[in-house]
Amino acid sequence: MFGSALAGKAASFIRADSAKDSLTAAPRIGWRSGETMVTVDNKLFLRRVPLFQGLPEAQIERLSAGSSRRNYPRGKTIIAEGDLLQTMYILLSGRAKVQRSDAEGKEVILAVLGPGEFFGEMSLIDDEPRSASVITLESCDFLAIRKENFVSVLMQSNETCIAVMRGLVRRLRSADRKIETLALLDVYGRVARVLLDSSELIKGERIVRNRLPRQQIAKMIGASREMVSRVMKGLEVEGYVVALPEGRLRLCEKISAYL
Ligand code: CMP
């Protein structure tokens, strides 16, 4: 049951909550907020990024020369919806949300990105303004890559083009699922889907490792925070979800019945 509930879930890369789970396992000497770090060669990081797997050394060199590493604290806007600046980013550690907001400031979270994922490529490809904002959910390390370097690699590497296409297709699949969720599921089903999509199988148990604030869930499913709190309470009381220390959750298999 779990398997089918999770079919189509974006291939997860690696999670950021332990040193080995990020791309920045190297000592973080000299990081300061927003600062470009120059102590460790960017090539080390580029080689670990799935997007650039198999890229010849000369192209890694070129990308490295045109990229800079940055660290930002929680709550920092890396990309603002509608902006025209053209840089793409690779998340090395931490998590960031992709969101859109309307004129009244109401927000919807389109996705939560983790280590190894890239963003900001869409404006580089179609020369349109930024399609969404990207905001850090915790302290994050990024590689920022200039448009001309990224485009030059795309021109020369079929593998990288395919990897970018794979990333875009993954997002389309996830957007399709989101449309289905919003159109067909009630609020219990929507919450259940967010929980399942945020979970991973650890020793045979489905665990949500990262704290998932009610407000964040609400913005992912178009419901109020109060409604999400009521649903979460109901799920806990009925034994669908078990709260664990440090904000983790264990999901019981029967939660799939809501989908
Ligand atoms: P860009 O439009 O340049 O800037 C905002 C970025 O957010 C966009 O590129 C994508 O990288 C990312 N983005 C937009 N929509 C989604 C989505 N539905 N899922 C994941 N990432 C997205």
Side-chain angles (χ1 to χ4, degrees):
M1 196 81 165
F2 269 143
S4 63
L6 292 168
K9 175 173 161 26
S12 65
F13 178 63
I14 39 181
R15 308 277 170 178
D17 51 0
S18 74
K20 74 172 172 44
D21 282 348
S22 83
L23 295 179
T24 53
R28 296 177 47 172
I29 307 157
W31 286 101
R32 254 189 274 137
S33 180
E35 187 186 40
T36 299
M37 189 169 108
V38 290
T39 48
V40 183
D41 195 336
N42 285 350
K43 282 189 287 182
L44 281 180
F45 294 97
L46 284 166
R47 281 199 208 95
R48 289 188 215 171
V49 174
L51 182 60
F52 301 126
Q53 289 297 300
L55 211 56
E57 191 56 27
Q59 289 187 38
I60 291 278
E61 293 268 0
R62 189 167 313 134
L63 267 183
S64 169
S67 62
S68 53
R69 250 181 350 272
R70 298 174 193 167
N71 170 261
Y72 288 111
R74 178 173 184 271
K76 171 88 180 166
T77 300
I78 308 301
I79 282 180
E81 186 182 338
D83 256 15
L84 290 168
L85 292 175
Q86 295 206 315
T87 305
M88 73 158 300
Y89 299 85
I90 289 162
L91 194 46
L92 298 174
S93 72
R95 291 179 309 133
K97 61 179 174 176
V98 180
Q99 74 176 33
R100 287 183 63 105
S101 44
D102 67 9
E104 286 148 28
K106 276 199 294 189
E107 295 161 353
V108 56
I109 297 178
L110 303 174
V112 174
L113 306 176
E117 294 192 89
F118 58 90
F119 60 92
E121 79 297 346
M122 286 170 57
S123 300
L124 270 57
I125 292 170
D126 68 2
D127 283 321
E128 292 287 325
R130 296 299 197 182
S131 60
S133 297
V134 182
I135 300 164
T136 55
L137 285 170
E138 52 199 53
S139 170
C140 287
D141 300 322
F142 300 97
L143 261 185
I145 299 178
R146 286 204 299 267
K147 178 180 180 177
E148 59 269 29
N149 298 77
F150 179 59
V151 171
S152 139
V153 166
L154 287 186
M155 296 294 188
Q156 294 174 43
S157 164
N158 291 339
E159 284 85 355
T160 308
C161 285
I162 298 275
V164 169
M165 281 163 63
R166 237 185 247 124
L168 294 174
V169 168
R170 198 162 59 226
R171 278 180 203 160
L172 184 57
R173 284 181 186 279
S174 150
D176 287 351
R177 271 162 60 76
K178 188 158 237 169
I179 292 167
E180 180 210 331
T181 300
L182 293 177
L184 303 181
L185 296 182
D186 65 11
V187 69
Y188 272 83
R190 296 180 194 182
V191 171
R193 177 147 282 171
V194 168
L195 294 177
L196 280 163
D197 283 354
S198 307
S199 72
E200 58 201 288
L201 211 48
I202 300 175
K203 295 183 184 155
E205 293 187 321
R206 191 118 316 264
I207 303 290
V208 179
R209 282 217 285 175
N210 292 309
R211 190 180 295 278
L212 207 48
R214 309 285 195 255
Q215 183 68 277
Q216 186 176 319
I217 298 175
K219 287 182 184 176
M220 293 169 94
I221 62 168
S224 68
R225 193 182 58 76
E226 293 71 22
M227 173 58 88
V228 171
S229 292
R230 275 204 296 279
V231 169
M232 287 296 291
K233 186 131 197 151
L235 290 174
E236 282 181 33
V237 169
E238 298 292 326
Y240 289 87
V241 169
V242 178
L244 303 175
E246 297 166 8
R248 294 174 175 218
L249 300 171
R250 179 159 57 79
L251 310 183
C252 300
E253 191 160 347
K254 62 180 180 175
I255 198 172
S256 306
Y258 280 111
L259 303 182

